[in-house]
Amino acid sequence: MAAILARKNTMWYINALITLALMLLFRFLPAPSPITPYGMAVAGIFIGMIYGWCTVNFFYPSMLALILIGFTPYTTPDGAAALLFSNAQVLQCIFLMLATAILNTTGVTNYLANWLINRRIIKNRPWLLIIFLMLATTAIGLIANIAGVVFIMWPLVHQIFKKVGYEKGDVAPAFILVGVVLIGNAANLLMPFQIPVVATFGFLFSASGGTLTSFNGMSYLALSVVVFLISNVLYFIVIRFAAHIDVTKLRNYEPEPESVPKMNKVERLGFILVIALFVLLLAPSIFPAGTALGSFFKTFGTVGPCMLVIGIACVVMFKDGQLFVRFQQLADGIGWGMIFMFGTATALSGALNSEETGIIAFFNGLLAPVFGNMNPIIFVAIFLLIGLIATNVLNNSVVSAVMIPIAYTLCSMFNMNSLALTAMFTIIVTYGLFFPSGSPA
């Protein structure tokens, strides 16, 4: 055990040094035309950052990258930090994390899961029970990240299957546990304002240099719902008709609706606030832009509704003197690793796309002969396939940070819709779970 820990410790520092070396030394390699020495410095920082994200953590390489990009003509270290925290999509992610933390803080997610699996209608109906488990996973996936889904749903699944007599090694529980990850991960991308969606489109907006600043939420929602329903139906068909998992013991499951009390005042208010948040976030996509309501909700944006809900949550005090939530409880729900990864990538994207670096011109010359005469449908299929393969061995966010700027460049070259390709890419990378190395984050 000690030897294993020592080896892990050694590799940790080796990877940290490799990250630093790539950032500092890559610039001294011969620069292929038309990349400039400035471009080699920026490329080295970006490559080292990607390597560090994959082998160390999100914080260390992000901090190094922000410091080192500050010693290039692009900006200063202070300017790099300002670019990170002034980015609209980064702020959206922070406030969305704060607002949705209300559900976890108040226990609403656990309540919803328990309520769904204790309906009388599922008694003696094993396949209906599985559908309700899928519904519970979807409900939690809409408001929590995949770690939260697994944390809540896996113990419930284990409890149900153990209660009716399944044992370790049985096939049925394994299929349902895998389904929880697949469905929960897909539910994380259903809404246009969910954090992985905001982050991925943020990479596109940064790559465009401000040319693109928004996307049609309802169009994205239509695509994501269709893909989500198809994937869920396929999963159900596989477990019922292809895998033929044995669910006969689930007939013995006894739902206990009386064990789920009515929502208490904290849960009830938490549920109301998050439903209100969802409605406000969807409103800009519902009301036509030319109307008074459409104009109001477009101005209100994404951060506005979050701030409103957070402000209400932090001001409510019940008659007994109990505060509804404390801000620090919500702040604990911020995934700072993801924020720094996403924010640093967007901060560096301006330098990567700058004409002075020559990086975009280099990729144009490299990729144009390969994709120039390719059928657009084949191009999209190949690009999505590359993303799907990559996300099975790398973190989803890292893959998006690398491939979305490339997608924008290619779409600009071939006059394709980069928003549509990004929407498809956002959804396809969520299925990066085929290999044990696949990352659902």
Side-chain angles (χ1 to χ4, degrees):
M1 184 66 180
I4 294 173
L5 289 175
R7 194 180 307 116
K8 180 180 179 182
N9 194 47
T10 301
M11 286 305 303
W12 176 274
Y13 284 108
I14 288 174
N15 286 323
L17 287 172
I18 292 173
T19 299
L20 180 61
L22 285 170
M23 290 187 180
L24 291 176
L25 304 178
F26 188 85
R27 67 189 68 196
F28 297 111
L29 295 174
S33 179
I35 298 180
T36 64
Y38 168 38
M40 289 297 287
V42 172
I45 293 170
F46 192 76
I47 292 169
M49 182 175 69
I50 297 295
Y51 182 86
W53 285 345
C54 296
T55 59
V56 185
N57 56 33
F58 285 147
F59 294 103
Y60 166 73
S62 296
M63 298 295 182
L64 280 182
L66 290 170
I67 293 170
L68 293 176
I69 200 68
F71 287 92
T72 68
Y74 180 58
T75 187
T76 64
D78 284 355
L83 285 171
L84 189 159
F85 285 107
S86 63
N87 182 277
Q89 282 71 46
V90 172
L91 290 174
Q92 286 175 21
C93 287
I94 292 174
F95 278 97
L96 283 166
M97 288 178 179
L98 286 168
T100 54
I102 291 172
L103 285 177
N104 292 328
T105 302
T106 56
V108 175
T109 47
N110 282 290
Y111 183 93
L112 289 174
N114 279 295
W115 186 87
L116 279 167
I117 65 168
N118 280 289
R119 299 301 89 203
R120 294 190 188 279
I121 193 174
I122 63 178
K123 184 176 180 179
N124 297 322
R125 295 184 175 95
W127 289 110
L128 189 59
L129 170 59
I130 290 173
I131 290 173
F132 269 62
L133 286 171
M134 294 167 66
L135 289 173
T137 302
T138 301
I140 298 170
L142 285 170
I143 50 182
N145 61 24
I146 188 60
V149 173
V150 170
F151 182 77
I152 293 169
M153 289 304 301
W154 273 22
L156 281 176
V157 172
H158 277 296
Q159 176 187 336
I160 289 170
F161 279 85
K162 185 177 180 180
K163 188 176 181 180
V164 297
Y166 285 93
E167 298 178 356
K168 186 177 180 179
D170 286 342
V171 173
F175 268 96
I176 303 305
L177 291 172
V178 169
V180 166
V181 177
L182 288 171
I183 296 166
N185 212 33
N188 256 204
L189 301 166
L190 266 176
M191 297 293 178
F193 51 77
Q194 286 178 282
I195 292 166
V197 182
V198 172
T200 306
F201 275 94
F203 292 132
L204 177 66
F205 299 156
S206 296
S208 75
T211 304
L212 299 173
T213 57
S214 63
F215 64 99
N216 188 300
M218 291 306 289
S219 296
Y220 175 85
L221 183 61
L223 174 65
S224 65
V225 168
V226 169
V227 174
F228 180 77
L229 291 175
I230 291 173
S231 61
N232 275 263
V233 170
L234 287 175
Y235 165 74
F236 190 78
I237 289 172
V238 166
I239 63 173
R240 181 162 187 177
F241 301 108
H244 295 292
I245 64 172
D246 181 11
V247 297
T248 52
K249 292 180 181 178
L250 288 178
R251 291 186 179 279
N252 300 323
Y253 176 68
E254 289 286 341
E256 300 174 352
E258 64 280 354
S259 69
V260 183
K262 290 183 178 180
M263 280 188 173
N264 60 37
K265 58 187 178 184
V266 173
E267 293 165 339
R268 190 162 50 250
L269 180 56
F271 185 72
I272 291 170
L273 284 176
V274 173
I275 293 298
L277 176 66
F278 272 48
V279 172
L280 291 172
L281 291 173
L282 279 175
S285 301
I286 296 172
F287 295 100
T291 64
L293 282 174
S295 177
F296 170 79
F297 284 115
K298 184 177 180 181
T299 302
F300 205 22
T302 299
V303 174
C306 292
M307 290 193 293
L308 176 63
V309 167
I310 293 165
I312 293 172
C314 291
V315 79
V316 171
M317 178 182 286
F318 298 111
K319 291 180 179 179
D320 58 5
Q322 175 191 359
L323 281 172
F324 173 56
V325 295
R326 297 181 185 276
F327 183 80
Q328 186 56 48
Q329 293 176 289
L330 305 182
D332 290 341
I334 298 178
W336 286 111
M338 190 266 184
I339 293 296
F340 270 91
M341 185 283 301
F342 168 48
T344 306
T346 55
L348 265 64
S349 64
L352 283 169
N353 296 320
S354 169
E355 289 185 8
E356 288 78 11
T357 64
I359 294 173
I360 295 300
F362 172 77
F363 275 107
N364 287 348
L366 186 69
L367 298 173
V370 179
F371 295 107
N373 298 318
M374 186 176 290
N375 182 289
I377 296 176
I378 295 176
F379 162 71
V380 169
I382 291 175
F383 187 82
L384 295 178
L385 179 62
I386 292 171
L388 182 60
I389 293 171
T391 196
N392 272 280
V393 294
L394 296 170
N395 181 282
N396 292 4
S397 302
V398 173
V399 173
S400 298
V402 173
M403 293 196 65
I404 292 300
I406 295 174
Y408 177 74
T409 300
L410 293 172
C411 288
S412 299
M413 288 170 58
F414 306 136
N415 196 28
M416 296 177 63
N417 189 327
S418 57
L419 289 169
L421 182 58
T422 300
M424 290 186 282
F425 188 87
T426 302
I427 294 169
I428 202 71
V429 294
T430 194
Y431 294 99
L433 302 166
F434 299 131
F435 305 152
S437 56
S439 166

